[in-house]
């Protein structure tokens, strides 16, 4: 199992950026990896995230 590094942005009044590392398989599509990253961030932040426009980019992926 590999790992993926994902950069998550939440556009509130201030731009909040997070970089999360999540496990991934070689054949996982990008949407699954990004969904895992949002889930992990939500858990890390205590169960809730601020409102705002959200974007995500996969920075690095290893198999």
């Amino acid at each position: 199992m590999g790992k993926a590094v994902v950069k998550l942005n939440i556009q509130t009044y201030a731009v909040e950026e997070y970089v999360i590392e999540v496990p991934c398989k070689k054949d996982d599509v990008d949407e699954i990896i990004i969904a895992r990253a949002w889930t992990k961030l939500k858990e890390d932040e205590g169960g809730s995230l601020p409102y705002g426009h959200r974007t995500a980019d996969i920075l690095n992926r290893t198999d």
Side-chain angles (χ1 to χ4, degrees):
M1 183 169 269
K3 294 181 181 181
V5 178
V6 182
K7 182 172 86 171
L8 305 170
N9 291 312
I10 302 175
Q11 303 289 330
T12 58
Y13 290 109
V15 177
E16 297 187 30
E17 267 189 13
Y18 305 92
V19 177
I20 302 288
E21 185 175 274
V22 293
C24 69
K25 296 178 185 173
K26 181 174 68 170
D27 57 346
D28 281 348
V29 294
D30 292 348
E31 288 80 11
I32 291 174
I33 295 169
I34 290 171
R36 283 186 192 135
W38 283 116
T39 302
K40 184 172 185 329
L41 177 64
K42 189 174 180 180
E43 289 171 1
D44 291 349
E45 292 294 312
S48 65
L49 295 173
Y51 291 105
H53 180 72
R54 298 177 181 185
T55 59
D57 295 314
I58 297 174
L59 300 177
N60 187 13
R61 188 173 176 174
T62 58
D63 294 328

